[in-house]
Amino acid sequence: MADSTASASPANPAAHSPADRPVYIIGGGPGGLAAAHALRAQGIRAVVLEKSDRVGASWRRHYDRLHLHTTRRLSGLPGLPMPRRFGRWVSRDNVIRYLEKYAEHHELEIVTGVEVSRIDRAPDGTGWLLHATGGRELTGAAIIVATGYNHTPRLPDWPGRDSYTGELLHASDYRNAEPYAGRDILVVGVGNTGAEIAVDLVAGGASRVRLSVRTAPHIVRRSTAGWAAQYTGVLVRRLPVGLVDRLARPLAKLSVPDLAEHGLPRPGTGLYSRVNEGAIPVQDVGLIDAVRKGEVEVVAAVDAFEDGKVVLADGDRVGPDAVIAATGYSRALDGLVGHLDVLDTRGRPLVHGAHTPANAPGLYFQGYTNPISGMFRELAIDAEKIAKAIAKRGAGVVSRLPA
């Protein structure tokens, strides 16, 4: 594995024929690494460009408690299963160890410390030109953008936020509950991150934990009688949305108690409909019990900050010692490819996986969906599909590995 900036010296696109050009992969997370191996398996040279100094950078920033909500068996990337010793639900640290081992095991060509700021079509009309740090200009036969679903922390522009003098941080800056022991904490957002941080704070000794909820989520058991929720997600992945919505309602009533009296009513919108809107169900890792016991208090959405207080949508004002905003991330692709007309109005790729935009052939996007069947599983599947598509389209164009 190449892991230094020295190998990323400025390249002169005109100095290489199209057949000498590798496929460049932007991002050294699981999606980028899986695509790099899948391309190598097709005999195609792939170079991963990672802006940090190590692979798996986004995973290194996650909170300590985090485990995959998908099973180890269905979360391995192509060519290397996750070790059995990691257990069924793999911890954040073991995910990082796995990604490091994956890059080493497959001898992937990775260049660290290089951030790509813009992608343009190559001047000669074949391939793509990457503008990167240090004035580098790199030309690839094809490009796979894999900068990550959780790229840039998103903090809502609440009125009064900038003048708020209390402690306010995004969930990306939360590591563990130790700094919050004995303190009153408001967690904003009830996705999987917010739910898990709230439970972590309770376990870590916070004196009071409130969870601010704008829209009640679907909550599912991570596993029931040994059957992982992911297995169901895989089975229903291709079924009609309306059918899955109807099937999910009675199952939810059987497996998840009604929390309406605690501020979390059952959603009116179907589970799979919400998934297609970008809202993945919350997998229960202790939230249900914590809410029922009153250890986590559900409160209304945050509307504003005013006079050192947090103003909620129902008019209440609260004064927590700290506010942790689990308000999600943006893909932050506009600067990179926004000028190519390949993003929708929400900044998401118009196509992903093995599909390439009609107006930008050879440009691929890996990992910009959050499927019900599991992110790692779908990354692995898409990596092999992308590699096959590039091999089919790029005969005589992409750089081939020595036989």
Side-chain angles (χ1 to χ4, degrees):
M1 177 178 75
D3 195 19
S4 69
T5 57
S7 59
S9 56
N12 178 1
H16 302 281
S17 68
D20 292 330
R21 295 171 181 169
V23 174
Y24 281 111
I25 301 169
I26 307 173
L33 299 181
H37 166 62
L39 285 164
R40 283 182 63 90
Q42 292 286 335
I44 297 171
R45 185 185 173 209
V47 179
V48 177
L49 303 176
E50 168 55 48
K51 71 176 182 180
S52 73
D53 61 350
R54 294 175 291 179
V55 300
S58 65
W59 279 89
R60 298 176 193 276
R61 294 193 299 268
H62 288 312
Y63 48 94
D64 297 347
R65 180 190 177 96
L66 179 64
H67 285 67
L68 286 177
H69 291 158
T70 54
T71 65
R72 170 189 52 79
R73 189 172 65 84
L74 294 185
S75 298
L77 301 177
L80 186 68
M82 286 188 171
R84 290 178 61 88
R85 68 178 182 276
F86 285 177
R88 193 182 197 195
W89 312 107
V90 182
S91 70
R92 181 205 64 177
D93 289 349
N94 280 334
V95 169
I96 294 168
R97 292 187 183 98
Y98 172 72
L99 295 178
E100 291 173 339
K101 180 64 177 178
Y102 190 85
E104 178 186 357
H105 176 80
H106 290 305
E107 299 180 336
L108 303 182
E109 189 173 352
I110 301 170
V111 184
T112 59
V114 175
E115 182 174 7
V116 178
S117 58
R118 183 181 170 96
I119 300 174
D120 284 312
R121 292 175 177 82
D124 64 3
T126 61
W128 295 91
L129 177 65
L130 306 182
H131 304 272
T133 48
R136 297 174 177 87
E137 291 188 341
L138 308 170
T139 307
I143 305 296
I144 301 174
V145 181
T147 52
Y149 190 84
N150 295 333
H151 186 274
T152 301
R154 183 175 63 240
L155 194 62
D157 189 19
W158 290 298
R161 189 196 77 185
D162 293 340
S163 59
Y164 180 64
T165 56
E167 183 178 351
L168 170 64
L169 67 151
H170 189 271
S172 59
D173 294 317
Y174 177 88
R175 293 295 171 267
N176 55 60
E178 185 177 349
Y180 306 99
R183 302 175 68 192
D184 179 344
I185 312 300
L186 174 67
V187 180
V188 184
V190 70
N192 278 295
T193 297
E196 194 155 353
I197 287 176
V199 172
D200 194 43
L201 288 165
V202 170
S207 63
R208 185 176 189 179
V209 179
R210 282 174 284 205
L211 183 60
S212 172
V213 176
R214 184 171 299 278
T215 304
H218 285 275
I219 302 175
V220 299
R221 300 286 189 183
R222 185 169 65 176
S223 180
T224 303
W227 179 267
Q230 182 188 12
Y231 298 161
T232 303
V234 171
L235 291 175
V236 305
R237 179 85 165 92
R238 304 298 178 187
L239 294 180
V241 172
L243 175 60
V244 178
D245 285 347
R246 290 193 295 274
L247 292 173
R249 289 190 189 102
L251 291 175
K253 290 181 179 179
L254 286 173
S255 61
V256 177
D258 187 355
L259 299 175
E261 64 178 295
H262 301 285
L264 284 178
R266 297 189 190 277
T269 309
L271 184 148
Y272 209 9
S273 293
R274 291 283 294 278
V275 169
N276 284 346
E277 295 169 0
I280 290 294
V282 171
Q283 294 211 18
D284 178 47
V285 291
L287 180 67
I288 292 173
D289 286 345
V291 168
R292 294 176 78 180
K293 293 176 181 177
E295 295 170 338
V296 172
E297 305 169 45
V298 178
V299 299
V302 170
D303 263 5
F305 291 82
E306 189 176 294
D307 298 328
K309 300 287 186 180
V310 182
V311 183
L312 303 179
D314 60 4
D316 281 354
R317 291 169 176 258
V318 297
D321 296 320
V323 179
I324 301 173
T327 47
Y329 297 79
S330 67
R331 312 295 86 81
L333 292 170
D334 293 283
L336 190 67
V337 297
H339 57 289
L340 297 174
D341 195 26
V342 294
L343 304 177
D344 66 15
T345 55
R346 296 171 62 183
R348 302 173 303 182
L350 291 169
V351 298
H352 66 275
H355 301 287
T356 186
N359 62 328
L363 180 63
Y364 298 86
F365 294 91
Q366 159 77 317
Y368 294 97
T369 62
N370 198 3
I372 195 172
S373 50
M375 174 72 81
F376 272 58
R377 178 181 182 272
E378 296 300 326
L379 287 175
I381 293 171
D382 279 348
E384 296 186 326
K385 289 181 178 179
I386 292 171
K388 290 176 181 177
I390 290 175
K392 183 177 180 180
R393 294 173 60 95
V397 177
V398 294
S399 177
R400 294 278 173 176
L401 295 168

